[in-house]
DNA sequence: GACCCGCGCAA
DNA sequence: TTGCGCG
DNA sequence: GGTC
């Protein structure tokens, strides 16, 4: 049987919870049943009552879209409804924020005539919500709060370089992408500590460990994410082997292959070495084969690169998680400094620093990356550096399938022949100015920066 | 049996 | 030019 | 390991 700790029984409802006093009716159209189940559970858990029909008592109706709403509920019924009609997104945002967020941007307007009920201006508001009142809980005001602002100041001094890319290494916050933090989207979402409950923990936890080990062993072609055993069964990418693994986990609650790996000395050592900044699977294996077994052993190894020596020396420092507010402070410090240095309007293309830094007045070393991009390709830099490898790969393949080549400097018509250089002169980059434009162009569904760890 | 991102760095 | 590590 |  599965381990007991996966308790599916939710805790008893909290009458003081953030949704207390709400009586809700959920429109199920267009919502994955799993998702719906989660929302119901959260609502009840946090004090709301869930009605099975749109009765008098209902104070809130939720729908995934205006389409779903009208598909399901007839017009006059809705017209008579006195309560609030909101997008599920409000729920998500509230859960993420840990408190009810303003309903303003999530209201599904009821227009008796109109077909497109979703308030047009709402979309604009949604898109801009971070730069205005929605930003309340973000203490740190961005110097540049939107791409538009950046553009304005930049049109006068064309060719200027924006220094906008202070990012802390991803090990500070494993659930967030390491990010070019000027992206305004991040300011509204940075404090999220909510992620949907994983209903298949018994499976995903084990596969999670397994995939980490495979990564450490240099086998990075086995990334997967099981959402549900049923969905997975007939999915492309699920062959016999995966089915067998899932079967074993479902029936025994464990995976023998994983248990072997976890006790294996070689696997454990290689995994440890791979945690050193600058050491990857190949080097880890090489070091293991040279007879090294501990980090101390490595200190006497003279074949290490500069980065690896540093990574080893500051192993504990680098592994220490960085409080988010310190990262935010650091960003402000760096923006100040950058604005002092850059005004000369150099044009050196993309400039990079991957290294260490200290918090003012402290010895502890942190990993930090700088990327400096010219304004006109800023969006591409953002996408490349906020997404993880999986997303980058998918976007690049998608671009390629459409006859383009995507990198962090732009989107170019594919130059057949010899690969085509990055930022290649000759083939003009497509003039896409925002991340959304790039996603749209590629036909890839929009992802907020914090959603880009696939 | 080839393919499974593309860059900078170091060798 | 290649292999590696990185995001 | 899985796909083309």
């Amino acid at each position: 049987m599965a381990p007991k700790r996966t308790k599916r029984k939710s805790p008893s409802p909290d009458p003081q919870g953030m949704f207390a006093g709400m009586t809700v009716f959920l429109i199920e159209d267009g919502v994955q049943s799993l998702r719906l189940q989660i929302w119901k559970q959260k609502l009840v858990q946090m004090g709301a009552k869930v009605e099975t029909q749109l009765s008098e008592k209902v104070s809130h109706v939720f729908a995934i879209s205006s389409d779903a709403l009208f598909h399901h509920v007839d017009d006059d019924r809705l017209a008579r409804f006195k309560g609030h009609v909101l997008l599920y997104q409000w729920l998500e945002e509230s859960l993420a924020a840990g408190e009810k967020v303003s309903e303003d941007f999530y209201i599904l307007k009821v227009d008796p005539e109109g077909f497109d009920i979703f308030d047009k201006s709402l979309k604009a508001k949604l898109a801009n919500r971070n730069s205005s009142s929605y930003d309340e809980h973000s203490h740190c005001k961005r110097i540049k709060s939107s791409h538009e602002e950046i553009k304005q100041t930049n049109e006068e001094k064309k060719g200027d370089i924006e220094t906008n890319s202070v990012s802390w290494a991803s090990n500070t916050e494993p659930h967030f992408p390491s990010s070019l933090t000027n992206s305004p989207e991040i300011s509204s979402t940075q404090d999220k500590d909510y992620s949907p409950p994983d209903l298949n923990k018994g499976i995903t936890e084990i596969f999670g460990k397994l995939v980490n080990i495979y990564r450490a062993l240099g086998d990075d072609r086995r990334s997967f994410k099981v959402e549900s055993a049923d969905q997975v069964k007939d999915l492309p990418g699920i062959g016999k082997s995966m089915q067998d693994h899932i079967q074993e986990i479902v029936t025994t609650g464990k995976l023998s292959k994983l248990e072997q790996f976890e006790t294996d000395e070689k696997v454990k050592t290689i995994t440890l070495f791979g945690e050193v900044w600058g050491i990857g699977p190949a080097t880890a294996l090489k070091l293991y084969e040279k007879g090294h077994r501990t980090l101390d052993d490595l200190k006497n190894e003279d074949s290490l690169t500069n980065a690896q020596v540093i990574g080893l020396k500051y192993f504990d420092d680098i592994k220490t998680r960085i409080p988010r507010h310190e990262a935010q402070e650091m960003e402000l410090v760096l923006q100040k400094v950058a604005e002092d240095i850059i005004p000369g309007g150099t044009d050196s293309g993309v400039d990079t620093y991957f290294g260490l830094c200290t918090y003012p007045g402290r010895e502890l070393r942190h990993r930090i990356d700088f990327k400096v991009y010219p304004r006109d390709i800023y969006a591409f830099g953002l996408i490349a550096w906020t997404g993880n490898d999986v997303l980058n790969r998918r976007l690049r393949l998608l671009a390629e399938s459409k006859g383009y080549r995507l990198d962090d400097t732009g989107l170019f018509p594919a130059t057949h022949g010899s690969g085509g250089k990055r930022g290649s002169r000759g083939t003009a980059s497509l003039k896409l100015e925002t991340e959304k434009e790039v996603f749209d162009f590629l036909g890839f569904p929009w992802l907020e920066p914090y959603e880009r760890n696939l």
Side-chain angles (χ1 to χ4, degrees), chain A residues 215 225 388-392 394 444 447 451-454:
Chain A
R215 282 214 186 99
K225 187 173 178 183
N388 66 355
D389 55 347
V390 178
L391 178 64
N392 284 337
R394 284 173 61 174
F444 198 92
L447 295 173
E451 295 173 314
R452 296 181 195 170
N453 265 323
L454 301 185

Side-chain angles (χ1 to χ4, degrees), chain A residues 95-129:
Chain A
L95 287 168
E99 59 181 350
K100 283 196 278 190
V101 300
S102 164
E103 297 182 2
D104 293 358
F105 306 131
Y106 306 97
I107 297 171
L108 273 170
K109 256 198 166 176
V110 183
D111 180 344
E113 319 260 313
F115 197 63
D116 184 11
I117 309 95
F118 192 72
D119 184 352
K120 291 273 187 348
S121 66
L122 212 56
K123 280 196 171 173
K125 280 192 204 164
L126 270 171
N128 290 326
R129 65 185 176 212

Side-chain angles (χ1 to χ4, degrees), chain A residues 196-412:
Chain A
D198 181 355
L199 298 180
N200 299 292
K201 263 200 162 175
I203 294 170
T204 57
E205 272 181 1
I206 288 174
F207 274 117
K209 291 182 189 175
L210 190 64
V211 82
N212 283 341
I213 288 169
Y214 272 130
R215 282 214 186 99
L217 296 176
D219 191 340
D220 60 354
R221 312 203 182 286
R222 301 176 196 231
S223 294
F224 45 74
K225 187 173 178 183
V226 180
E227 231 93 51
S228 125
D230 281 352
Q231 294 173 342
V232 141
K233 206 175 78 185
D234 293 312
L235 239 47
I238 301 297
K240 179 173 191 312
S241 174
M242 283 293 291
Q243 281 185 47
D244 288 350
H245 284 342
I246 293 171
Q247 170 74 9
E248 184 182 346
I249 292 169
V250 167
T251 54
T252 70
K254 57 196 181 70
L255 186 61
S256 51
K257 186 165 194 152
L258 174 62
E259 306 204 326
Q260 283 171 30
F261 272 145
E262 279 179 332
T263 53
D264 186 302
E265 209 53 37
K266 179 173 175 180
V267 170
K268 284 202 288 191
T269 308
I270 291 177
T271 303
L272 174 66
F273 290 172
E275 288 170 23
V276 176
W277 182 53
I279 298 182
T283 310
L285 176 62
K286 199 181 71 192
L287 293 169
Y288 176 85
E289 284 173 343
K290 279 190 172 184
H292 298 297
R293 294 295 180 269
T294 69
L295 293 182
D296 271 342
D297 293 347
L298 297 186
K299 288 178 179 157
N300 306 315
E301 171 63 45
D302 54 7
S303 72
L304 299 185
T305 67
N306 192 38
Q308 288 162 348
V309 171
I310 290 171
L312 192 59
K313 181 172 178 188
Y314 296 106
F315 184 82
D316 291 329
D317 280 21
I318 293 171
K319 279 200 106 51
T320 303
R321 290 167 62 94
I322 306 165
R324 182 158 286 273
H325 72 268
E326 285 189 16
Q328 289 171 344
E329 281 178 52
M330 194 60 106
E331 183 185 353
L332 289 182
V333 169
L334 284 162
Q335 291 203 350
K336 260 213 176 86
V337 172
E339 299 218 337
D340 285 348
I341 309 174
I342 295 295
T346 50
D347 184 18
S348 52
V350 180
D351 207 353
T352 303
Y353 170 80
F354 287 177
L356 303 188
C357 69
T358 60
Y359 185 81
R362 213 192 287 148
E363 274 307 300
L364 199 70
R365 256 67 164 189
H366 295 306
R367 275 276 297 109
I368 193 168
D369 299 339
F370 305 152
K371 294 290 294 186
V372 182
Y373 280 82
R375 173 59 217 153
D376 60 338
I377 57 169
Y378 176 49
F380 295 99
L382 276 177
I383 290 173
W385 292 95
T386 53
N388 66 355
D389 55 347
V390 178
L391 178 64
N392 284 337
R393 220 172 356 246
R394 284 173 61 174
L395 291 176
R396 284 175 153 134
L397 288 171
L398 191 56
E400 202 179 303
S401 74
K402 293 176 181 294
Y404 292 87
R405 195 177 51 77
L406 173 73
D407 62 27
D408 68 328
T409 68
L411 186 61
F412 309 89

